[in-house]
């Protein structure tokens, strides 16, 4: 299990010691990265609905990642949110340290570093700060852990999350139609109150980015992720056929990706792509991810109406998260655990 990360007063805990140096097989080769920025799909929400349906569906099938433009969330709101997040990470380390927690759901304190469970069993730390927290008013309860000047900020962030939620609802409707299902189908699989969690990430400049990772390779767990990121700053990469491709946020775009539950619901038609974050030598990068997913009691499995033999057994999202927690410390293979093998059995 994770050990806690120690803060020493106001000192920056990110120092390029061996605790941050990832094993050779995880080291990013920054020379060997192809730029997918132009080939990764851009989905334009100002186009007619038929085009949106086609573009969204193609993007989810091909890379599972796309840039969403003309999405209707005011630029000013997006800018304000990134500014709030950046200001938060610029707080002195002793202030942030008071909010540190290395486990989920402990006293409502969610400030934490990415730690060992992301790379190997050798407890290697990510070169990143992350604040995983119930930013959303509907989740309630945890705002008091933010610095005292956050009242106005809460309103702004809550407004942004509300906008992202409607955007996801809209995309799920269009994807349901693309799949030939009732327009409310995918949303209906998430329950009455779909989970919405948010994580702010800060990747400070790193003296030698070839040695560290900002976030190790993983797939996202829920249904869909919407990422707001500093424009044009490299960092996010997706894996395709064993190669890594940079995905740099375009002007005014949100980066959207398919997460595990959507891959399972579509019986692998849509791809929950493996991705990671690398660091930059001279530039910091701030991102804010919203993860939308099913309520815990919801049953997830391949949609029968789509035909074909089901590739996964049915499970509840609670079971999925249990398996995720069980795999702490290893590279996540959560959906693989529920996969039906060639003999028609699951690993369970
Ligand atoms: C994540 C994630 C990417 C980024 O938080 O799951 O993939 O660029 N973030 O911060
Ligand atoms: Ni991710």
């Amino acid at each position: 299990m994770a050990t806690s990360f120690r803060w020493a007063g106001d000192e920056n805990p990110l120092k390029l010691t061996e605790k941050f140096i990832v094993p050779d097989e995880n080291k990013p080769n920054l020379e060997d990265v192809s730029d997918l920025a132009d080939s990764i799909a851009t989905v334009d929400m100002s186009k007619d609905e038929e085009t949106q349906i086609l573009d969204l569906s193609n993007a989810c099938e091909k890379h599972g990642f796309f840039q969403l433009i003309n999405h209707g969330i005011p630029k000013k709101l997006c800018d304000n949110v990134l500014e709030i997040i950046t200001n938060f990470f610029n707080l002195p380390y002793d202030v942030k340290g008071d909010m540190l927690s290395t486990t989920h759901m402990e006293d409502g304190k969610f400030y934490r570093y990415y730690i060992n469970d992301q790379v190997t069993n050798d407890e290697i730390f990510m070169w990143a700060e992350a604040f995983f927290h119930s930013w959303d008013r509907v989740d309630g309860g945890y705002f008091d852990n933010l610095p005292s000047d956050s009242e106005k900020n809460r309103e702004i962030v809550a407004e942004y999350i509300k906008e992202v939620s409607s955007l996801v609802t809209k995309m799920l409707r269009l994807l349901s139609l693309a799949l030939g299902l009732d327009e409310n189908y995918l949303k209906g699989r998430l329950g009455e109150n779909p989970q919405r969690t948010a994580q702010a990430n800060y990747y400070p400049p790193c003296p030698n980015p070839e040695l560290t990772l900002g976030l190790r390779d993983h797939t996202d767990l829920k249904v869909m992720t919407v990422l707001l990121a500093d424009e044009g700053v490299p960092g996010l990469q997706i894996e395709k056929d064993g190669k890594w491709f940079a995905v740099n946020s375009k002007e005014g775009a949100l980066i959207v990706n398919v997460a595990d539950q959507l891959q399972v619901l579509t019986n692998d038609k849509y791809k929950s792509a493996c991705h990671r974050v690398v660091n930059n030598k001279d530039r910091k990068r701030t991102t804010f991810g919203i993860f939308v997913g099913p309520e815990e009691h919801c049953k997830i499995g391949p949609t029968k109406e789509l035909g074909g033999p089901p590739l996964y057994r049915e499970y509840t999202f609670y079971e999925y998260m249990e398996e995720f927690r069980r795999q702490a410390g290893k590279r996540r293979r959560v959906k693989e655990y529920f996969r039906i093998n060639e003999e028609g059995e699951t690993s369970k």
Side-chain angles (χ1 to χ4, degrees), residues 65 114 215-216 218-221 225 227 236 257 273 275-277 291 332:
F65 260 83
Y114 280 113
L215 183 52
R216 80 154 296 176
H218 67 284
T219 59
D220 291 349
L221 296 169
T225 304
L227 189 81
L236 180 62
N257 66 283
H275 54 286
R276 70 179 182 186
V277 176
F291 308 89
R332 294 181 200 169

